[in-house]
Amino acid sequence: AQTVTQSQPEMSVQEAETVTLSCTYDTSENNYYLFWYKQPPSRQMILVIRQEAYKQQNATENRFSVNFQKAAKSFSLKISDSQLGDTAMYFCAFMKGNNDMRFGAGTRLTVKP
Amino acid sequence: DAGVIQSPRHEVTEMGQEVTLRCKPISGHDYLFWYRQTMMRGLELLIYFNNNVPIDDSGMPEDRFSAKMPNASFSTLKIQPSEPRDSAVYFCASSLKWSGQAGAQVLNEQFFGPGTRLTVL
């Protein structure tokens, strides 16, 4: 079974600073997909970024980037120039090709003014 | 598109009552997922459908839970009878798994609805 571990239940960062959220996963699969979802207080789940395991290049979406280390089974999220609107729960997710998506427990990020 | 639509947004009921949660996926999406979110267990996949057919219901906790997808634009998750431990936020999500041409397909993400907060007293 696949497991996703987010070891940081809570984190905080000053506005405009950079923060990195950690995620590790356990799988015997070679082809899979990784995601970071954001859940603000509104409860809406919003996709932040995704990474295909077969791609060596780290995904980037504006201020959000990942450090994907396949051998280490690590998938961290870096948020640059943090904004107050980034305050949310962040979930790391793993998915095989069969659409079975597994989520980590989440990291609550607070951006302080 | 309006996105994934769920109703009701909030439901408060008493133990033993039947609860029905509803979901309208994004038009054209061929996968539909039901998740449950609690503080204790986080986000759990309950069941998912492909082209209206249930593919994997191994996450459904008990026989009290059932889900249907009578057509491509509607799904229900029913709990009968409900219990206080069923209190949670229930999310519906949909996806069009692949897009693009063969050989250059892209895996699409799941789009989530706003969730239904269920409280069973």
Side-chain angles (χ1 to χ4, degrees):
Chain A
Q2 282 69 230
T3 59
V4 181
T5 302
Q6 293 179 249
S7 59
Q8 305 151 315
E10 294 188 21
M11 292 192 73
S12 64
V13 62
Q14 291 296 133
E15 195 175 7
E17 297 294 309
T18 296
V19 64
T20 299
L21 309 183
S22 301
C23 173
T24 59
Y25 56 93
D26 183 28
T27 184
S28 58
E29 301 286 329
N30 190 47
N31 294 319
Y32 50 87
Y33 307 85
L34 297 162
F35 305 83
W36 279 97
Y37 276 88
K38 167 185 176 182
Q39 187 179 40
S42 67
R43 225 171 51 208
Q44 182 73 48
M45 292 285 286
I46 303 165
L47 179 69
V48 174
I49 198 166
R50 65 176 165 201
Q51 175 85 40
E52 290 87 347
Y54 64 85
K55 290 187 177 179
Q56 293 185 348
Q57 186 173 6
N58 289 326
T60 299
E61 289 287 342
N62 301 313
R63 297 183 295 109
F64 299 87
S65 61
V66 299
N67 183 6
F68 173 48
Q69 301 290 328
K70 191 173 183 179
K73 297 180 183 176
S74 171
F75 183 60
S76 61
L77 174 69
K78 186 172 81 171
I79 305 174
S80 304
D81 186 24
S82 298
Q83 300 177 358
L84 297 179
D86 296 334
T87 292
M89 282 287 287
Y90 286 82
F91 293 94
C92 178
F94 168 99
M95 189 174 80
K96 295 189 300 183
N98 66 354
N99 264 338
D100 186 353
M101 183 178 281
R102 304 288 169 168
F103 288 85
T107 296
R108 183 176 301 280
L109 175 68
T110 301
V111 179
K112 298 180 178 179
Chain B
D1 200 311
V4 177
I5 299 172
Q6 289 186 249
S7 64
R9 293 294 304 277
H10 304 273
E11 176 80 26
V12 180
T13 190
E14 292 188 344
M15 181 173 63
Q17 296 297 306
E18 177 181 293
V19 175
T20 299
L21 311 182
R22 297 172 176 79
C23 174
K24 182 182 188 317
I26 293 174
S27 177
H29 282 192
D30 53 358
Y31 281 83
L32 183 139
F33 308 82
W34 281 102
Y35 291 90
R36 178 173 67 175
Q37 185 178 32
T38 61
M39 289 294 292
M40 291 295 294
R41 300 174 67 88
L43 266 163
E44 303 172 280
L45 176 64
L46 301 177
I47 185 172
Y48 76 91
F49 296 81
N50 177 219
N51 291 324
N52 314 338
V53 176
I55 302 300
D56 185 350
D57 65 353
S58 59
M60 296 286 262
E62 298 172 34
D63 292 344
R64 298 185 295 106
F65 286 70
S66 62
K68 294 182 179 180
M69 191 166 186
N71 57 62
S73 59
F74 184 66
S75 177
T76 59
L77 177 67
K78 186 175 293 186
I79 308 172
Q80 166 63 22
S82 58
E83 297 182 5
R85 60 194 169 116
D86 301 331
S87 297
V89 179
Y90 290 82
F91 287 98
C92 176
S94 72
S95 72
L96 176 63
K97 186 175 180 182
W98 300 105
S99 64
Q101 298 179 352
Q105 288 189 318
V106 176
L107 177 72
N108 294 304
E109 71 268 27
Q110 296 179 16
F111 292 83
F112 283 75
T116 295
R117 181 178 292 280
L118 172 65
T119 302
V120 183
L121 303 174

